[in-house]
Amino acid sequence: MHHTTLPSRGSEPVVVKIVIAGGFGAGKTTAVGAVSEITPLSTEEYLTQASAGVDSLAGIEAKVTTTVAFDFGRLTLPDPPMPMELFLFGTPGQDRFGSLWHALSRGAVGAVVLVDTRRLEASFAAVDFFERLGLPFVIAVNEFDGAHRYQPDQVRAALGLNLHVPVVTCDARTPAHVAGVLLTLIDHAMQPSTLQDA
């Protein structure tokens, strides 16, 4: 199992690594960029004809770039539950980057799986990955403009999630929404039942 606990170091911020994953086009780069207090490091490249047979753009036809390594951002939380400095690592969405997902997850306290309900099947690989890894995760339904709104319980059932996995909604473009998702993850990762599972 794979788990990192949060040590207390007085008033010094605790550095917490968080992975932001999800299917291709779910909004990972957008989420990191929305909440990062530094200019995010992004490894986005333009989609080319070479990826046409591999990366389906069904439902996200306007997408012109993809993450090829990872996105990195940082967010300082001065208050709850202790001062923290969050290091955010956004993964590539395609499951062919599985070995990179392993590397980015090493030492992480947990993960956010961003979900686009228009392409729910694109989320299965990330959910399976974190379940197998034993890393605490939350589901954040990115409510895209024009997408049908589903209740969290409907999303939970569609993804076949355990009841203890939090499912929340957000707009990945809105800093307060993304920060709220990150706080939900931290709270979930620190629950005694989650720690026992690890």
Side-chain angles (χ1 to χ4, degrees), residues 59-118:
I60 52 169
E61 289 82 1
K63 186 170 176 60
V64 294
T65 60
T66 187
T67 299
V68 295
F70 63 89
D71 299 312
F72 174 76
R74 187 183 73 209
L75 175 64
T76 302
L77 297 175
D79 300 319
M82 63 190 78
M84 293 183 189
E85 191 170 34
L86 307 185
F87 285 5
L88 310 173
F89 289 83
T91 69
Q94 303 91 322
D95 54 9
R96 67 178 182 271
F97 291 106
S99 61
L100 186 55
W101 294 2
H102 275 282
L104 292 175
S105 298
R106 197 167 294 122
V109 75
V112 172
V113 177
L114 271 174
V115 170
D116 178 355
T117 56
R118 301 169 303 176

Side-chain angles (χ1 to χ4, degrees), residues 10-174:
S11 60
E12 289 265 324
V14 174
V15 174
V16 177
K17 181 179 182 182
I18 292 175
V19 177
I20 299 181
F24 179 58
K28 300 173 297 295
T29 299
T30 300
V32 172
V35 80
S36 180
E37 62 199 14
I38 62 170
T39 301
L41 168 67
S42 181
T43 58
E44 290 232 307
E45 295 292 339
Y46 284 99
L47 291 167
T48 64
Q49 196 59 39
S51 71
V54 180
D55 299 327
S56 170
L57 293 175
I60 52 169
E61 289 82 1
K63 186 170 176 60
V64 294
T65 60
T66 187
T67 299
V68 295
F70 63 89
D71 299 312
F72 174 76
R74 187 183 73 209
L75 175 64
T76 302
L77 297 175
D79 300 319
M82 63 190 78
M84 293 183 189
E85 191 170 34
L86 307 185
F87 285 5
L88 310 173
F89 289 83
T91 69
Q94 303 91 322
D95 54 9
R96 67 178 182 271
F97 291 106
S99 61
L100 186 55
W101 294 2
H102 275 282
L104 292 175
S105 298
R106 197 167 294 122
V109 75
V112 172
V113 177
L114 271 174
V115 170
D116 178 355
T117 56
R118 301 169 303 176
R119 308 172 83 238
L120 195 63
E121 69 285 351
S123 307
F124 294 158
V127 169
D128 290 346
F129 175 80
F130 293 115
E131 285 180 341
R132 283 195 315 272
L133 197 60
L135 191 68
F137 67 95
V138 301
I139 299 295
V141 178
N142 189 6
E143 295 190 319
F144 285 89
D145 294 338
H148 183 78
R149 301 295 188 245
Y150 294 93
Q151 294 298 315
D153 285 345
Q154 293 174 295
V155 175
R156 178 187 308 285
L159 291 173
L161 298 171
N162 289 327
L163 288 175
H164 74 275
V165 176
V167 179
V168 296
T169 59
C170 72
D171 182 333
R173 301 169 296 187
T174 306

